[in-house]
Amino acid sequence: MPEINVSTADMLSLDARGLHYKELNARLREAVAEGATDIELRNVFGQRYIGTDLDKPVNIHIYGTPGNDLGAFMDGPRIVVHGNAQDGCGNTMNEGEIVIHGHAGDILGLSARGGRIFVREDVGYRVGIHMKEYQGKRPLVVVGGTAQDFLGEYMAGGVLVVLGLTLKEGEAHRASYIGTGMHGGVIYLRGQVQPYQLGKEVGVAELGEADRGVLEEAVGQFCAHFGYDAGEILKTPFSKLFPLYLRPYGRLYAY
Amino acid sequence: MKELERVNNPHGDDKVMDACGLFGIIDTSGRRFSGEAVIQAITNMHDRGNGLGGGFAAYGIYPEMADHYCIHIMYATPASKPETEVFLKRHFTIAQDEEVSTRKARGIVKPPVLWRYFVAAEPHCPEGVAQDDYVIERVMEINTQIEGAFVFSSGKDMGVFKGVGFPEDIADYFRVEEYKGYLWTAHSRFPTNTPGWWGGAHPFNILDWTVSHNGEISSYGINRRYLEGFGYHCTMQTDTEVVAYAVDLLVRRHGLPIEIAAKVFAPPFWDQIARLTDEEQELCRTLRQVYASLLLNGPFTVIIAHQGEMIGLTDRIRLRPLTAAVKGDRLYLSSEEASIRLIEPDLDRAWIPMGGEPIVGRLKVKAVEKGKIKARA
């Protein structure tokens, strides 16, 4: 990688070392407004909110460890992280794509209402919490590894896929409270979980034909990003986790 | 009760919201290194704090005085220093004392007078009383009875440096980069329910235990009452203080391994216990029954340290973040992975631990044997 900052009409290459997030994000806004379509950020160490409020389909490659709320409220860009992501990635994202060549922290995809997130390895707590969907908007999160507790908590929509590729032969997922409070959307899970690991609001089913279609498309995209064999992954069985009730707490406050 | 509000809370802050930043490194080979890296790492999480508290704990920094307790005291009033020194002379043999070395630093407003004393408990400590217990009793006496004086560090071959300010400013003020230790922890504070004052900055300390905390210990009241029964008095107006005393009680006095103490602070839920083997069930039930009053409720991540050991622990449902990483002999703990990568980009491994599972870094036995580090008596 060149060590100097390069900026042409449609390309920006920036050394982010020592830049505060406010300045970094201001530079991104400016570059995108001026028509940049490809952005490369090097030496990123924890700057927050990268990609937020960008509303064009610009490509952003991040080398390093982006900070919390990566792609928050994002509306169109495509972010590729060459490393790990921290907490709150894809917070309330509306449109676009985040591809993480590593692991990600807690509350990935929280309240996302559109767009796609692909994580090659494991993710932290409460991934997909309160994801939602509306009409044509249906967010997709695909996790290559395993997840920690409260996966899909209060999930209200969207598609969450967990592939368990980092688990060893015969090793089960450790996450508990999966889908607690879930009342919309769907989780496709590859690998074993025991019934006690699931929230009380979750049902388990085999995949139907429509499910297979959604899953194949999601796994296909995941494999295209990270170089896995989709056919191989899809050979093993998946469980479908779905909400038993659309309004699990509907009667809690109505009397 | 002392009038802490007037003396120590000139900022008049009361309640604000956000996170704190935590960082820690242990070199398990016992190799000492400057505080520079840990300063850089905690500074990278500047936005997690709000400048109302920053601090560092360092182990292995006073090797030439390693047999003496090093008492760091902040004096908020002029009268408190002579009064405390009379007390110290009556109860300890003072081998050396000096002003804690500081320099003018940006953002440091009205610091207290800061003094350190290298003391021995002999010949004052009565026979049959453990010296550590003797020191704790005297620390409690100073903190509860001498107006304006606060002991904020009381271990051997270690020290706490903390105050009101961003951690980078506190580091500058205390010249933290000039010390060399094999274990460092750091904290950037965002006070939530308690005032930002010098004694309320983290790490909290008793003997060589230090605790830095992100979160809120809502069981503070019951924890505090229980600890008072064992002679620990909370004077720092902050929930985190109970963790330092609790870990001293469980590990030093009751002899529990830290992994078991972690099960007291963040016990498995009853339904999880029901799925364990009979033997594990008995252990977990017993711990929950005997130490029910030391369960830490509420969201927390803590970095606990004492001579030779650094421990990271979160609450059972991980309501505050913690990332761990390893490179060679070094274990890193941090609220954010980026801070670790900043000072060590090429890690052997980085991972996010499960809630309630302690991550422990220990000095290798070899390092202790070689005499690099004094093992705990």
Side-chain angles (χ1 to χ4, degrees):
Chain A
M1 267 183 295
E3 280 308 310
I4 44 164
N5 293 333
V6 183
S7 185
T8 61
D10 55 1
M11 199 225 167
L12 170 74
S13 178
L14 185 67
D15 187 342
R17 188 182 289 274
L19 274 187
H20 190 259
Y21 73 78
K22 280 184 193 165
E23 195 181 339
L24 176 57
N25 286 315
R27 296 277 288 275
L28 292 182
R29 272 196 298 275
E30 202 178 294
V32 171
E34 285 169 6
T37 54
D38 286 282
I39 294 171
E40 179 186 88
L41 302 175
R42 287 170 281 115
N43 295 316
V44 172
F45 290 106
Q47 286 95 341
R48 296 180 179 184
Y49 315 117
I50 295 176
T52 191
D53 76 4
L54 299 181
D55 56 1
K56 295 198 172 69
V58 55
N59 283 304
I60 304 172
H61 282 264
I62 297 175
Y63 295 87
T65 312
N68 294 353
D69 291 307
L70 171 69
F73 302 99
M74 194 168 83
D75 196 15
R78 178 170 180 275
I79 295 179
V80 181
V81 180
H82 301 272
N84 300 326
Q86 296 188 164
D87 301 334
C89 174
N91 179 354
T92 324
M93 169 176 178
N94 190 52
E95 192 60 73
E97 184 174 79
I98 302 177
V99 179
I100 299 162
H101 290 259
H103 66 232
D106 297 344
I107 54 172
L108 178 95
L110 79 135
S111 298
R113 39 178 286 169
R116 298 177 299 274
I117 306 176
F118 299 92
V119 184
R120 195 181 67 195
E121 293 162 19
D122 298 339
V123 292
Y125 273 60
R126 301 180 178 82
V127 163
I129 182 171
H130 210 241
M131 267 182 17
K132 47 199 124 185
E133 62 184 62
Y134 182 67
Q135 294 179 346
K137 291 276 185 198
R138 198 180 191 202
L140 167 68
V141 172
V142 185
V143 175
T146 186
Q148 293 176 325
D149 296 356
F150 299 100
L151 174 72
E153 191 182 27
Y154 302 118
M155 199 168 155
V159 179
L160 197 44
V161 181
V162 178
L163 300 175
L165 298 171
T166 56
L167 297 174
K168 295 182 196 81
E169 187 83 31
E171 187 183 355
H173 291 282
R174 287 190 62 195
S176 284
Y177 309 106
I178 297 171
T180 295
M182 184 176 182
H183 54 285
V186 63
I187 303 175
Y188 299 113
L189 192 66
R190 181 177 171 274
Q192 305 159 33
V193 286
Q194 299 296 323
Y196 71 80
Q197 291 173 270
L198 304 178
K200 293 183 177 66
E201 299 82 1
V202 177
V204 186
E206 288 189 7
L207 276 64
E209 206 166 309
D211 296 311
R212 286 307 297 187
V214 173
L215 181 65
E216 275 165 26
E217 170 70 22
V219 172
Q221 289 183 27
F222 174 88
C223 291
H225 290 306
F226 303 116
Y228 286 97
D229 179 350
E232 203 55 41
I233 292 172
L234 288 164
K235 260 201 276 183
T236 41
F238 278 76
S239 332
K240 173 187 182 177
L241 308 181
F242 64 97
L244 291 171
Y245 323 101
L246 292 181
R247 298 188 66 230
Y249 305 112
R251 287 188 304 173
L252 194 59
Y253 301 111
Y255 47 85
Chain B
M1 192 65 199
K2 300 176 185 181
E3 280 185 68
L4 290 177
E5 197 66 26
R6 184 177 54 80
V7 179
N8 289 310
N9 187 19
H11 300 273
D13 65 295
D14 193 26
K15 190 170 173 86
V16 281
M17 311 190 310
D18 197 13
C20 294
L22 304 178
F23 196 84
I25 316 178
I26 179 170
D27 191 315
T28 56
S29 74
R31 202 166 57 85
R32 295 183 172 87
F33 52 97
S34 137
E36 231 159 299
V38 77
I39 297 168
Q40 216 188 334
I42 195 74
T43 304
N44 197 57
M45 293 188 279
H46 177 94
D47 291 323
R48 295 186 72 89
N50 67 353
L52 286 173
F56 299 82
Y59 292 79
I61 56 171
Y62 301 130
E64 65 286 353
M65 297 296 282
D67 293 333
H68 290 75
Y69 291 96
C70 182
I71 313 275
H72 289 190
I73 302 184
M74 45 180 79
Y75 295 117
T77 60
S80 57
K81 185 165 181 282
E83 192 183 342
T84 305
E85 290 184 343
V86 168
F87 178 91
L88 288 174
K89 278 177 195 149
R90 201 181 328 137
H91 295 287
F92 294 102
T93 309
I94 301 176
Q96 192 183 315
D97 77 290
E98 63 196 13
E99 188 166 9
V100 177
S101 148
T102 56
R103 65 162 83 93
K104 262 206 163 98
R106 181 193 56 176
I108 303 302
V109 186
K110 287 197 205 156
V113 170
L114 296 150
W115 216 267
R116 80 178 137 225
Y117 305 84
F118 291 97
V119 306
E122 305 103 342
H124 307 272
C125 178
E127 214 159 301
V129 175
Q131 292 198 0
D132 283 348
D133 291 334
Y134 179 81
V135 171
I136 291 185
E137 282 170 28
R138 303 294 85 75
V139 168
M140 295 296 155
E141 281 166 17
I142 295 171
N143 287 354
T144 53
Q145 290 166 24
I146 302 179
E147 178 82 37
F150 287 93
V151 176
F152 64 103
S153 188
S154 53
K156 288 178 179 175
D157 198 14
M158 58 79 61
V160 171
F161 307 94
K162 67 178 189 178
V164 174
F166 282 102
E168 56 269 33
D169 300 337
I170 289 293
D172 188 26
Y173 182 68
F174 279 102
R175 311 166 77 113
V176 168
E177 78 285 355
E178 293 177 2
Y179 295 89
K180 277 188 164 181
Y182 68 91
L183 192 176
W184 288 87
T185 68
H187 187 259
S188 178
R189 189 168 185 218
F190 204 135
T192 40
N193 293 317
T194 54
W197 69 286
W198 278 69
H202 304 215
F204 283 90
N205 162 278
I206 192 70
L207 296 174
D208 65 354
W209 291 105
T210 56
V211 178
S212 289
H213 168 219
N214 169 21
E216 209 171 298
I217 296 168
S218 44
S219 55
Y220 173 73
I222 194 162
N223 302 147
R224 174 186 171 146
R225 272 195 299 281
Y226 181 79
L227 289 163
E228 273 170 0
F230 293 91
Y232 300 95
H233 300 284
C234 293
T235 53
M236 301 294 178
Q237 301 191 83
T238 300
D239 51 359
T240 309
E241 193 181 4
V242 295
V243 185
Y245 303 152
V247 77
D248 181 62
L249 178 71
L250 293 178
V251 178
R252 187 182 63 84
R253 284 170 66 180
H254 292 181
L256 302 184
I258 193 71
E259 288 81 359
I260 299 293
K263 283 192 198 295
V264 171
F265 298 146
F269 291 107
W270 290 112
D271 66 318
Q272 293 170 324
I273 292 175
R275 290 190 295 271
L276 299 173
T277 64
D278 288 354
E279 203 177 320
E280 288 169 326
Q281 285 201 24
E282 199 186 342
L283 173 68
C284 289
R285 285 216 173 87
T286 307
L287 288 173
R288 288 206 65 159
Q289 284 158 3
V290 174
Y291 294 115
S293 300
L294 283 183
L295 184 150
L296 302 178
N297 212 348
F300 69 85
T301 296
V302 286
I303 298 180
I304 300 171
H306 67 139
Q307 209 63 264
E309 216 168 44
M310 177 175 81
I311 304 111
L313 181 69
T314 69
D315 63 83
R316 299 169 287 184
I317 52 172
R318 244 273 299 294
L319 288 161
R320 292 293 181 274
L322 180 68
T323 294
V326 168
K327 168 74 178 178
D329 287 328
R330 291 191 181 176
L331 170 73
Y332 298 82
L333 298 171
S334 179
S335 299
E336 299 187 12
E337 184 173 330
S339 285
I340 306 175
R341 297 262 175 203
L342 181 69
I343 60 171
E344 182 48 73
D346 181 29
L347 295 166
D348 298 341
R349 186 178 169 224
W351 75 102
I352 300 170
M354 286 293 272
E357 283 185 7
I359 301 298
V360 183
R362 260 185 209 113
L363 268 190
K364 290 180 188 143
V365 181
K366 267 190 298 183
V368 179
E369 278 171 359
K370 270 193 212 153
K372 276 190 193 162
I373 305 301
K374 259 198 107 56
R376 279 187 60 84

